[in-house]
Amino acid sequence: MQEKNNNAPRGQKPMRIKFNISWIYFILLIAIGWMFFNQGGANPQKEEWADVQKQWLAGDIKEVVFIRNEYEGRVTMRPERIENYADKFGGKVPEKSPHFVFLVSGSFNAEEMFGELNSKLPEDRQVKVVIENQENWWGMLEWLIFPLLLIFMWVFMFRGMNRNMGGGGSGGPGGIFNVGKSTGKLAEKGENQVTFKDVAGLYGAKEEVMEIVDFLKNPAKYTALGGKIPKGALLVGPPGTGKTLLAKAVAGEANVPFFSISGSDFVEMFVGVGASRVRDLFRQAKEKAPCIVFIDEIDAVGRARSKNGGYSSNDERENTLNQLLTEMDGFGTNSGVIILAATNRADILDKALMRAGRFDRQIHVDLPELKERKEILEVHLRKLKLSTDFDVDYIAKHTPGFSGADLANICNEAALTAARRNKSEIDKQDFLDAIDRVVGGLERKATMMTEEEKRTTAYHEAGHAVVSWLLPNANPVFKVTIVPRGQSLGATWYLPDERYVTTKEQMIDEMCATIGGRVADEIHTGQPCTGALSDLEKLTKLAYAMVTYYGMSENVGNISFYDSTGSRAYDMTKPYSEKTAELIDKEVKDLVDMIHERTRKILTENFEGFSQLAELLLEKEVIFAEDLERIFGPRAGAPRKVEVKEETAETEETESNE
């Protein structure tokens, strides 16, 4: 037998026309258009009975069909006379009859009226009259077909939308007809290649989740002794610390399916959708067991329920939360499904969600320390072309307080900076500039400052630096600059010691350094200026925290009004009386005044060195700790350095002259 399409190149499949759902929409539109807009020019024109009488007596009418039950007459004109009425049809003479229609009342006597008109005409001009009753089935069918076509079109349109949105059928996720289906993404067994080798640092967190991995790999090891596999673990930590990456690593290490979904995906505008999606997610998880379900940003749906049912409540969110609680309780002991969730707001989660038997353990994913930052940097530096003398340790020491995401961003910015400078390698300076850009913002080279504004900024930043250098418990100064970045005209950078416990004396020293710029402005210009807005905001918050949270006021006493649960967020009353409120305000003001006077005394007593530093800053625009040491000598106080804290120093930008 001869094969078809012999002319097609060998190995190439013959072209086939694929069916597209859009064809149906096109055909339906054509059908509707034909029904209502394409009647072949045969649409009869309406006219009055008086006009019909004139046409009748003029001998222009050939036939009249009168529908008795509809009180409607249909007029067909003589072919040779129809041209006289072309203007009534828009200049186009209709090809089909009837040409005109007229309506009459129920008292109309057709036989009598038509007979009387015909009697006035000669026999060759008399009109043929047909009087009948008629059932208009076609008209009724037209009105029936139209809504049916619309419904048909609507169904096909939304089925197509459903496929395009990921429905793919009645059981698939997403789609307009599958709003109740889970939108979670599934990584099948073997698809997830992320393991603990890809997670740098996070020693404590990895140690905790290793037990979960062992549960999934060897469940019988624990159940044989009567132990229960934990149902869930909550990853708690600041944004960008690697919570999601750690959850993926757990699934990859255990080599089990991995469901991932965001907490906000459960909440929709439709009532009951959130609860339905929770049920569907857990149904799918049970089918894939053993597996891991990861809910990112669970605080979007797991926020504590309001005690006041009528105020600040969200029934849909609470229903979703209730369903989540029910599903977590519904798992059997050996179901093999473990729930991992991540949040940076563990304090606002509902207590029912946090109890044992649901999220059995909390795993804290903290900001990386020096060793961890070095490992994270080494991961991101693998793909970068670095200079031969590049020192990873130096960058790690100058990036404390940075999350894993921040470190990745710095590496990328350093590469972009080197590329803009047409370098073939990335060096240390590129990284330092990248840190400045990420933290402080883009350098504003086009900012036009007057000489007086530049001098005021220099004295402002010098005030911060001098006070910090001379107070033993203040954060050590790393760098001072008056180069405008972001919204600030200058900044003082610190390398603070990481403290797990801060004393009252330490807080006061740091507050003095915070207001050092404001006091420097008053000494230099004789009056305050607006550049210390952020300093005053920080100072005020710290002062109120000392009095109302930490119990560091003798007159207020050892009382704390701090709300760790967040339940007072919608409470319109304060947890203390008006008399206590007045006392708190007085204590805060007295504390701020004391700090202000102490800072002024420090700058006044060291005015010569303070002025020298400001002038040096005007000259060089950027100065370092070495310049401060050359003017004031070694920094005050014993450096907490060596013991433990040199490797966990933290860089932070605290002041800005806005």
Side-chain angles (χ1 to χ4, degrees), residues 114-286:
F114 295 159
E116 183 179 345
L117 290 171
N118 267 338
S119 65
K120 297 179 180 179
L121 295 174
E123 289 188 10
D124 59 336
R125 286 293 178 182
Q126 289 185 356
V127 178
K128 179 182 179 182
V129 177
V130 178
I131 301 176
E132 61 184 14
N133 291 326
Q134 181 177 321
E135 298 293 335
N136 191 7
W137 294 104
W138 174 245
M140 296 175 61
L141 191 61
E142 280 186 329
W143 288 107
L144 183 63
I145 289 177
F146 179 68
L148 288 176
L149 284 175
L150 289 181
I151 294 172
F152 189 68
M153 186 175 179
W154 183 85
V155 169
F156 270 93
M157 182 177 66
F158 282 96
R159 285 188 64 183
M161 290 177 59
N162 184 51
R163 295 189 185 95
N164 294 334
M165 294 174 66
S170 60
I176 200 71
F177 291 117
N178 291 316
V179 292
K181 300 294 182 181
S182 170
T183 58
K185 298 179 181 178
L186 170 63
E188 291 284 359
K189 183 177 180 180
E191 292 181 3
N192 184 15
Q193 302 298 322
V194 180
T195 63
F196 288 145
K197 295 181 180 179
D198 303 304
V199 184
L202 305 181
Y203 300 123
K206 283 197 291 188
E207 186 177 351
E208 291 234 27
V209 297
M210 278 295 292
E211 190 175 354
I212 296 177
V213 174
D214 200 30
F215 281 146
L216 291 169
K217 286 185 174 180
N218 307 300
K221 173 182 174 182
Y222 300 91
T223 57
L225 299 175
K228 296 181 180 179
I229 298 176
K231 292 185 178 180
L234 184 64
L235 304 176
V236 183
T241 51
K243 299 184 292 294
T244 304
L245 181 64
L246 186 61
K248 288 182 179 180
V250 172
E253 199 73 30
N255 195 24
V256 295
F258 180 75
F259 290 89
S260 62
I261 192 172
S262 174
S264 60
D265 291 339
F266 292 113
V267 183
E268 291 281 357
M269 63 179 289
F270 304 109
V271 177
V273 169
S276 176
R277 287 182 176 178
V278 171
R279 287 191 297 269
D280 188 66
L281 174 65
F282 280 77
R283 178 189 61 79
Q284 295 181 44
K286 290 176 183 179

Side-chain angles (χ1 to χ4, degrees), residues 59 61 63 69 99 179 188 260 312 392 476 486 495 554 582 657:
I61 299 177
E63 183 184 28
N69 57 332
H99 303 127
V179 292
E188 291 284 359
S260 62
S312 71
V392 181
L495 286 173
E554 295 181 0
E582 293 178 2
N657 191 16

Side-chain angles (χ1 to χ4, degrees), residues 584-601:
I584 290 173
D585 291 340
K586 184 178 183 303
E587 286 294 299
V588 170
K589 187 177 184 305
D590 292 343
L591 177 61
V592 171
D593 290 343
M594 181 272 292
I595 291 172
H596 185 278
E597 290 303 317
R598 185 188 183 203
T599 306
R600 176 181 285 277
K601 182 180 179 182

